[in-house]
Amino acid sequence: MSLDHSFLAVYGAELPGANWEHVDGRLEDLRRTQGPAGDTEDVQLFTVLGDRGPSRVVIGAAVVGFAPGSCKSVRDFIPSLERDEAVRRAAEFVGHAEPVEPGWLFVYDLR
């Protein structure tokens, strides 16, 4: 089987039912409150588009891209307590009601 598409590994959490525009605006607010030299991980927004319904909203504190044909060991993707806390704080800040459990999410990049 040939892999001629790209994948991303995002360290973060999915926010089921979230509106990406709302999350995007609130993450901008969070960045402004932290100032230019924020002492926490910068949490980014990712929207995952697919053929199984509406887009899914993911926030993440780290991203690793896979070039076509590359291979990485799962051992390279270790948990991070600092990133966990940054993602949890961001999820709470954007108003996500459910607790999130951050980790590595492997995402097919459609863009």
Side-chain angles (χ1 to χ4, degrees):
M1 176 163 110
S2 171
L3 294 176
D4 11 288
H5 42 266
S6 296
F7 287 94
L8 296 176
V10 177
Y11 195 89
E14 182 178 358
L15 305 180
N19 176 289
W20 75 267
E21 291 170 316
H22 170 77
V23 172
D24 187 44
R26 293 297 289 157
L27 287 176
E28 276 302 314
D29 293 343
L30 178 60
R31 283 185 202 94
R32 279 193 289 276
T33 63
Q34 292 176 345
D39 59 350
T40 61
E41 294 270 356
D42 185 29
V43 176
Q44 301 292 317
L45 167 68
F46 301 88
T47 53
V48 182
L49 304 174
D51 58 359
R52 295 190 303 173
S55 62
R56 298 162 67 182
V57 175
V58 172
I59 57 173
V63 179
V64 175
F66 290 74
S70 68
C71 181
K72 296 184 189 260
S73 170
V74 72
R75 288 185 211 115
D76 293 338
F77 299 96
I78 56 175
S80 165
L81 296 176
E82 293 82 18
R83 289 180 179 151
D84 285 355
E85 188 56 35
V87 171
R88 285 188 185 107
R89 269 195 314 271
E92 185 177 314
F93 191 87
V94 302
H96 190 68
E98 301 293 321
V100 297
E101 199 53 50
W104 284 104
L105 305 171
F106 297 93
V107 178
Y108 175 66
D109 181 18
L110 291 176
R111 298 175 202 260

